[in-house]
Amino acid sequence: MANPSQTAPPLLEVQHLCKYFPVRAGLLRRQVGEIRAVDDVSFAVYPGETLGLVGESGCGKTTTARCILRALAPTSGAILFRTQEGTVVDLAPLSEAELRPLRREMQMIFQDPFASLNPRMTLFDIVGEPLLVLGRMRDRQQRMDRVAELLEMVGLRPEYMRRYPHAFSGGQRQRIVIARALALNPRLVVADEPVSALDVSVQAQVLNLMLRLQQELGLTYIFVAHDLSVVKHFCDRVAVMYVGKLVELAPTRSLFFQPRHPYTAALMAAVPVPDPRLRGKMQPLEGEVPSPANPPSGCYFHPRCPHAVEICSQEPPRLQEIAPGHFVSCHRAQELELVGVDAAEVPGHEG
Amino acid sequence: MSNDPAPLLVVRDLKTYFFLDEGTVRAVDGVDFAVHPGQVVGIVGESGCGKSVTVKSVMRLVQRPGRLVAGTIRFRPSSQSAQRWPLAPDGTLDLAALDPQGPIMRAIRGGEIALIPQEPMAAFSPVHTIGNQIVEAIRLHQDVDRQTAWEWGVERLAEVGIPSPAQRMRAYSWELSGGLRQRAMIAMALACGPRLLIADEPTTAIDVTTQAQILTLLRALQEQHNMAIIFITHDLGVIAQIADHVVVMYLGRVMEAGPVEEIFLRPQHPYTRALLRSIPSIHTPSRTLLPTIQGSIPHPFNRPAGCPFHPRCGDFVPGLCDRNTPEPVPVSPTQTVSCHLYTGELHGEPIPDRSSPA
């Protein structure tokens, strides 16, 4: 297990990140409003750790990830990245040209390996492209050697280099996507739902591969997912988002066993557990996720929150550190006793 | 499989093949299961296991180049419908022998057996109001006037927990949120009081908090109406929470079937065991390597001979598993397994439970 040392300076620090999308209407496409997809989100990622970013659809987890990689330009805020040389660069205001030398240090693994691989390119072209474009590796033989090495690293046979993606299954395609992401020895890998498009029986293979590669190569992951079981298994720390806001950020254990935000607790109570003995423990939350175009007043969660009091509908709560490393954004975080995943009540399988 | 008096639906040796230019895909290849009144049967499996094609075959909705090539689907209609239809002496009707477009099948679809599709956005017409679509469904099966049908529709929407149902009847599907749309879909499926509801991955496209609401709603409706449900999903967690009886499918065949407790707590088939071990549960230790199933699901054209799981199985017996297809054998009064470890073809002692992964 790669033990992230939080004493080391963070690899990435996101400060007050905002991304607003304009809403346009009418003949002149005038801006009539905005969608606050990411609204004042701050967190740090330390070298060698895996930070999970979880939430339901529309919570802004993918937008946050895309802003970090500068696939999107943030509306405001800072994205401080510590480069290989040890200098800290704010990625937010950089232009495409200025970003280019930094791109090799941060790579992405996409959700759907059927959409993220060009069907007309061979594995050699796909995995070798970053080497050619960003790595300036002009020599074909050199590229072939590196692609072979990468394919072997992700558990594919180097002979497959001449084949096209259609010849591979979902799990194998995701390995190709991982090989491509690792081609330039990145330090930060952002994985956006890397296993949610895969069959259950191959999910574990890909998760194991990602864990092994992290240990071998000292990678830092930002792991975007909606599946809490996978996140709990895979991440060192977890950030929970709701309608564009960060509601809780904590080490995985404390988040799951002692959640401090009612939304986190509700999210965990809603996960169907694959054990029929725990039936009826599922406690559905009332209502639905509000639209980020028209969020409620105060705390965005208050209309659905079973613990809401008057202040919750009036004032937005601020993110505060309630215990060392445990951040929560809730007015009542100090007084509430919330139930997380109870380890005691769960016997093993095949008992 | 238990033979309680009068099962609602009995599927025997169902085979549905797709005849393509590239070859024949045996999407469903000899599936057996039964549904009793008021029971929730969960069909669980990964992509390509034939779970959707199985229920499409039951509803006779398989389209060319697919064809139902063998098997029987014995369904027991409600007593009022039964008077009009030519039933077998045991009071059942073989749906497999009916004309898919014929009047009986059309009356059964929606009237006796209703379907909740996976994607409610695609299932509703965007140019008709929710109310119009529900009224149409009711009036196809019941001899009532528009006004009455409309009132029933409002009642159904209220029953599935849609706020201000009278207004929502006039709404279009795209005006509703994902959760409300799925509730409206359920209301429409229930409109004619079906005896069997087929839910094809009804919560796959929606968020986890909404999913919990929908599962709770389906369970409550099932109890109120004493309706049977066939629930299809790939999510083992959902199955454990909703199903009474579980059918585990892999590549068109039933690997294991039994009551939910037996499948989850005493899985016998190597596939079921491996599958349950490989899912990261919210309760498993973090950042450890998970036991995996080697390889991946074969392409439907390259279906392995013998047991379809044998190339990935840790208990593979050469010369047996790759030649003979195992038939379901009972391992308890209620649980059946299709695996040569239990068929008696393997000499020696039965293989004990294995806790370590292969």
PDB file of all heavy atoms in Angstrom, chain A residues 289-306:
ATOM      1  N   VAL A 289     -32.060  15.327  -6.449  1.00  0.00           N
ATOM      2  CA  VAL A 289     -30.975  16.293  -6.556  1.00  0.00           C
ATOM      3  C   VAL A 289     -31.492  17.543  -7.273  1.00  0.00           C
ATOM      4  O   VAL A 289     -32.057  17.432  -8.353  1.00  0.00           O
ATOM      5  CB  VAL A 289     -29.812  15.672  -7.360  1.00  0.00           C
ATOM      6  CG1 VAL A 289     -28.658  16.644  -7.468  1.00  0.00           C
ATOM      7  CG2 VAL A 289     -29.357  14.375  -6.715  1.00  0.00           C
ATOM      8  N   PRO A 290     -31.348  18.735  -6.685  1.00  0.00           N
ATOM      9  CA  PRO A 290     -31.838  19.931  -7.366  1.00  0.00           C
ATOM     10  C   PRO A 290     -30.973  20.267  -8.582  1.00  0.00           C
ATOM     11  O   PRO A 290     -29.837  19.822  -8.694  1.00  0.00           O
ATOM     12  CB  PRO A 290     -31.734  21.024  -6.307  1.00  0.00           C
ATOM     13  CG  PRO A 290     -30.750  20.528  -5.324  1.00  0.00           C
ATOM     14  CD  PRO A 290     -30.771  19.041  -5.378  1.00  0.00           C
ATOM     15  N   SER A 291     -31.535  21.050  -9.481  1.00  0.00           N
ATOM     16  CA  SER A 291     -30.780  21.462 -10.656  1.00  0.00           C
ATOM     17  C   SER A 291     -29.765  22.537 -10.265  1.00  0.00           C
ATOM     18  O   SER A 291     -30.098  23.462  -9.524  1.00  0.00           O
ATOM     19  CB  SER A 291     -31.746  22.023 -11.692  1.00  0.00           C
ATOM     20  OG  SER A 291     -31.043  22.876 -12.566  1.00  0.00           O
ATOM     21  N   PRO A 292     -28.539  22.429 -10.735  1.00  0.00           N
ATOM     22  CA  PRO A 292     -27.547  23.462 -10.406  1.00  0.00           C
ATOM     23  C   PRO A 292     -27.901  24.818 -11.025  1.00  0.00           C
ATOM     24  O   PRO A 292     -27.297  25.830 -10.657  1.00  0.00           O
ATOM     25  CB  PRO A 292     -26.240  22.916 -10.975  1.00  0.00           C
ATOM     26  CG  PRO A 292     -26.579  21.734 -11.782  1.00  0.00           C
ATOM     27  CD  PRO A 292     -27.991  21.340 -11.534  1.00  0.00           C
ATOM     28  N   ALA A 293     -28.873  24.847 -11.946  1.00  0.00           N
ATOM     29  CA  ALA A 293     -29.289  26.123 -12.517  1.00  0.00           C
ATOM     30  C   ALA A 293     -30.189  26.872 -11.539  1.00  0.00           C
ATOM     31  O   ALA A 293     -30.311  28.091 -11.610  1.00  0.00           O
ATOM     32  CB  ALA A 293     -30.037  25.893 -13.830  1.00  0.00           C
ATOM     33  N   ASN A 294     -30.807  26.142 -10.650  1.00  0.00           N
ATOM     34  CA  ASN A 294     -31.769  26.761  -9.757  1.00  0.00           C
ATOM     35  C   ASN A 294     -31.670  26.107  -8.374  1.00  0.00           C
ATOM     36  O   ASN A 294     -32.582  25.444  -7.918  1.00  0.00           O
ATOM     37  CB  ASN A 294     -33.173  26.563 -10.360  1.00  0.00           C
ATOM     38  CG  ASN A 294     -34.223  27.273  -9.548  1.00  0.00           C
ATOM     39  OD1 ASN A 294     -33.913  28.209  -8.802  1.00  0.00           O
ATOM     40  ND2 ASN A 294     -35.453  26.809  -9.659  1.00  0.00           N
ATOM     41  N   PRO A 295     -30.514  26.280  -7.712  1.00  0.00           N
ATOM     42  CA  PRO A 295     -30.321  25.576  -6.448  1.00  0.00           C
ATOM     43  C   PRO A 295     -31.122  26.222  -5.323  1.00  0.00           C
ATOM     44  O   PRO A 295     -31.489  27.400  -5.415  1.00  0.00           O
ATOM     45  CB  PRO A 295     -28.814  25.719  -6.195  1.00  0.00           C
ATOM     46  CG  PRO A 295     -28.422  26.945  -6.926  1.00  0.00           C
ATOM     47  CD  PRO A 295     -29.355  27.085  -8.082  1.00  0.00           C
ATOM     48  N   PRO A 296     -31.425  25.462  -4.265  1.00  0.00           N
ATOM     49  CA  PRO A 296     -32.151  26.032  -3.135  1.00  0.00           C
ATOM     50  C   PRO A 296     -31.299  27.067  -2.399  1.00  0.00           C
ATOM     51  O   PRO A 296     -30.088  27.153  -2.622  1.00  0.00           O
ATOM     52  CB  PRO A 296     -32.407  24.817  -2.228  1.00  0.00           C
ATOM     53  CG  PRO A 296     -31.901  23.638  -2.935  1.00  0.00           C
ATOM     54  CD  PRO A 296     -31.041  24.080  -4.057  1.00  0.00           C
ATOM     55  N   SER A 297     -31.943  27.818  -1.503  1.00  0.00           N
ATOM     56  CA  SER A 297     -31.214  28.815  -0.727  1.00  0.00           C
ATOM     57  C   SER A 297     -30.391  28.118   0.360  1.00  0.00           C
ATOM     58  O   SER A 297     -30.580  26.947   0.633  1.00  0.00           O
ATOM     59  CB  SER A 297     -32.214  29.763  -0.078  1.00  0.00           C
ATOM     60  OG  SER A 297     -33.021  29.020   0.812  1.00  0.00           O
ATOM     61  N   GLY A 298     -29.532  28.873   0.980  1.00  0.00           N
ATOM     62  CA  GLY A 298     -28.764  28.359   2.112  1.00  0.00           C
ATOM     63  C   GLY A 298     -27.942  27.153   1.738  1.00  0.00           C
ATOM     64  O   GLY A 298     -27.273  27.133   0.703  1.00  0.00           O
ATOM     65  N   CYS A 299     -28.002  26.138   2.595  1.00  0.00           N
ATOM     66  CA  CYS A 299     -27.337  24.875   2.293  1.00  0.00           C
ATOM     67  C   CYS A 299     -28.143  24.185   1.196  1.00  0.00           C
ATOM     68  O   CYS A 299     -29.349  23.999   1.337  1.00  0.00           O
ATOM     69  CB  CYS A 299     -27.279  24.007   3.543  1.00  0.00           C
ATOM     70  SG  CYS A 299     -26.725  22.335   3.226  1.00  0.00           S
ATOM     71  N   TYR A 300     -27.470  23.784   0.109  1.00  0.00           N
ATOM     72  CA  TYR A 300     -28.192  23.189  -1.021  1.00  0.00           C
ATOM     73  C   TYR A 300     -28.895  21.893  -0.643  1.00  0.00           C
ATOM     74  O   TYR A 300     -29.791  21.435  -1.328  1.00  0.00           O
ATOM     75  CB  TYR A 300     -27.224  22.898  -2.177  1.00  0.00           C
ATOM     76  CG  TYR A 300     -26.725  24.129  -2.897  1.00  0.00           C
ATOM     77  CD1 TYR A 300     -25.767  24.015  -3.915  1.00  0.00           C
ATOM     78  CD2 TYR A 300     -27.203  25.396  -2.578  1.00  0.00           C
ATOM     79  CE1 TYR A 300     -25.307  25.138  -4.575  1.00  0.00           C
ATOM     80  CE2 TYR A 300     -26.735  26.518  -3.231  1.00  0.00           C
ATOM     81  CZ  TYR A 300     -25.784  26.386  -4.233  1.00  0.00           C
ATOM     82  OH  TYR A 300     -25.330  27.484  -4.886  1.00  0.00           O
ATOM     83  N   PHE A 301     -28.466  21.301   0.444  1.00  0.00           N
ATOM     84  CA  PHE A 301     -29.035  20.010   0.818  1.00  0.00           C
ATOM     85  C   PHE A 301     -30.248  20.157   1.737  1.00  0.00           C
ATOM     86  O   PHE A 301     -30.955  19.187   1.984  1.00  0.00           O
ATOM     87  CB  PHE A 301     -27.951  19.152   1.486  1.00  0.00           C
ATOM     88  CG  PHE A 301     -28.375  17.739   1.765  1.00  0.00           C
ATOM     89  CD1 PHE A 301     -28.803  16.914   0.735  1.00  0.00           C
ATOM     90  CD2 PHE A 301     -28.349  17.224   3.047  1.00  0.00           C
ATOM     91  CE1 PHE A 301     -29.198  15.608   0.980  1.00  0.00           C
ATOM     92  CE2 PHE A 301     -28.752  15.921   3.305  1.00  0.00           C
ATOM     93  CZ  PHE A 301     -29.164  15.104   2.267  1.00  0.00           C
ATOM     94  N   HIS A 302     -30.546  21.369   2.215  1.00  0.00           N
ATOM     95  CA  HIS A 302     -31.539  21.486   3.286  1.00  0.00           C
ATOM     96  C   HIS A 302     -32.942  20.965   2.952  1.00  0.00           C
ATOM     97  O   HIS A 302     -33.598  20.400   3.813  1.00  0.00           O
ATOM     98  CB  HIS A 302     -31.595  22.914   3.861  1.00  0.00           C
ATOM     99  CG  HIS A 302     -32.505  23.848   3.137  1.00  0.00           C
ATOM    100  ND1 HIS A 302     -32.049  24.742   2.191  1.00  0.00           N
ATOM    101  CD2 HIS A 302     -33.851  24.021   3.197  1.00  0.00           C
ATOM    102  CE1 HIS A 302     -33.077  25.419   1.711  1.00  0.00           C
ATOM    103  NE2 HIS A 302     -34.172  25.004   2.304  1.00  0.00           N
ATOM    104  N   PRO A 303     -33.429  21.087   1.675  1.00  0.00           N
ATOM    105  CA  PRO A 303     -34.795  20.569   1.445  1.00  0.00           C
ATOM    106  C   PRO A 303     -34.909  19.058   1.630  1.00  0.00           C
ATOM    107  O   PRO A 303     -35.990  18.536   1.865  1.00  0.00           O
ATOM    108  CB  PRO A 303     -35.087  20.963  -0.005  1.00  0.00           C
ATOM    109  CG  PRO A 303     -34.108  22.017  -0.347  1.00  0.00           C
ATOM    110  CD  PRO A 303     -32.895  21.725   0.465  1.00  0.00           C
ATOM    111  N   ARG A 304     -33.798  18.335   1.505  1.00  0.00           N
ATOM    112  CA  ARG A 304     -33.859  16.876   1.628  1.00  0.00           C
ATOM    113  C   ARG A 304     -33.294  16.401   2.957  1.00  0.00           C
ATOM    114  O   ARG A 304     -33.307  15.214   3.246  1.00  0.00           O
ATOM    115  CB  ARG A 304     -33.030  16.232   0.506  1.00  0.00           C
ATOM    116  CG  ARG A 304     -33.432  16.669  -0.878  1.00  0.00           C
ATOM    117  CD  ARG A 304     -32.521  16.057  -1.923  1.00  0.00           C
ATOM    118  NE  ARG A 304     -32.790  14.634  -2.139  1.00  0.00           N
ATOM    119  CZ  ARG A 304     -32.007  13.840  -2.854  1.00  0.00           C
ATOM    120  NH1 ARG A 304     -30.900  14.312  -3.394  1.00  0.00           N
ATOM    121  NH2 ARG A 304     -32.307  12.576  -3.019  1.00  0.00           N
ATOM    122  N   CYS A 305     -32.753  17.328   3.735  1.00  0.00           N
ATOM    123  CA  CYS A 305     -31.991  16.931   4.913  1.00  0.00           C
ATOM    124  C   CYS A 305     -32.932  16.641   6.083  1.00  0.00           C
ATOM    125  O   CYS A 305     -33.756  17.474   6.447  1.00  0.00           O
ATOM    126  CB  CYS A 305     -31.024  18.037   5.287  1.00  0.00           C
ATOM    127  SG  CYS A 305     -29.986  17.629   6.687  1.00  0.00           S
ATOM    128  N   PRO A 306     -32.802  15.468   6.698  1.00  0.00           N
ATOM    129  CA  PRO A 306     -33.666  15.157   7.844  1.00  0.00           C
ATOM    130  C   PRO A 306     -33.291  15.954   9.097  1.00  0.00           C
ATOM    131  O   PRO A 306     -34.046  15.979  10.055  1.00  0.00           O
ATOM    132  CB  PRO A 306     -33.448  13.650   8.060  1.00  0.00           C
ATOM    133  CG  PRO A 306     -32.165  13.324   7.389  1.00  0.00           C
ATOM    134  CD  PRO A 306     -31.937  14.335   6.325  1.00  0.00           C
TER     135      PRO A 306
END
